[in-house]
Amino acid sequence: SQLQLVPGAAAAAAAADQRQQPEDLYSSWLTRQYSSFIDTLISLLNSSATSASVQVAAVSALMECVRHEAGPAVFSNRLFSRMVRTLLNSSNVQPEVFALLVSKYLPYWDVRYYTLQGISKLAQQHAVRGSAATAAAAADGAAAEGSDLEDADQAPQQQQQH
């Protein structure tokens, strides 16, 4: 069976593509705007110039995005994990932000679960980095000791030659 083109079908397909193209453009633009919005909220948590009230508002907005980003009544663990990493790694987060999390969001079991999961992952990453740094320092120390031992081995030989 061979596909037969109906007169005007190509024009209808082209018209459909033109109608869809602006939708795709809009969808792409909207996605970029949303990503920029999230990045701005996260940067407010990292900034030492941001007041406590602005940081609290940023976390509240982020939590609304967490609630709705993946769909109705679906928790966005990806965004929440990013926010938790930022809160725990930034020295600029105001105490009021943590008070908000404890009082408003941590009573929910899913938020508690994903918070602990995020803390656990972060602790593991720091442990691995710490182990790697310790191993590197130990390797540097062993290399330094090795060169000291080589110097010590060479010293008696040099004394014997004189």
Side-chain angles (χ1 to χ4, degrees):
S1 85
Q2 196 174 23
L3 180 64
Q4 294 180 353
L5 292 177
V6 177
D17 285 346
Q18 287 176 350
R19 281 191 307 247
Q20 197 171 22
Q21 186 179 12
E23 289 173 2
D24 291 341
L25 290 172
Y26 176 72
S27 177
S28 177
W29 174 82
L30 195 57
T31 299
R32 285 191 312 273
Q33 297 306 309
Y34 179 75
S35 293
S36 177
F37 173 66
I38 295 298
D39 291 344
T40 300
L41 293 174
I42 294 289
S43 71
L44 290 171
L45 299 176
N46 276 323
S47 174
S48 61
T50 306
S51 69
S53 62
V54 171
Q55 285 188 348
V56 165
V59 167
S60 295
L62 283 165
M63 288 303 292
E64 285 301 311
C65 293
V66 165
R67 276 184 54 200
H68 299 289
E69 180 181 78
V74 178
F75 192 91
S76 175
N77 191 33
R78 181 195 62 80
L79 178 56
F80 186 73
S81 294
R82 182 177 175 198
M83 184 183 77
V84 168
R85 274 193 316 273
T86 301
L87 291 173
L88 296 177
N89 284 325
S90 177
S91 60
N92 297 316
V93 178
Q94 302 294 324
E96 292 86 347
V97 171
F98 294 107
L100 171 73
L101 287 172
V102 169
S103 66
K104 186 173 182 180
Y105 299 108
L106 285 180
Y108 298 102
W109 68 267
D110 55 345
V111 175
R112 236 179 292 153
Y113 172 79
Y114 289 116
T115 300
L116 291 174
Q117 186 180 50
I119 291 169
S120 176
K121 283 182 183 178
L122 193 59
Q124 289 171 356
Q125 290 170 354
H126 282 286
V128 168
R129 285 186 200 137
S131 296
T134 302
D140 288 344
E145 286 178 20
S147 67
D148 290 345
L149 290 175
E150 288 174 8
D151 292 343
D153 289 343
Q154 290 176 0
Q157 291 173 359
Q158 288 175 355
Q159 289 175 357
Q160 290 174 356
Q161 289 176 359
H162 292 298

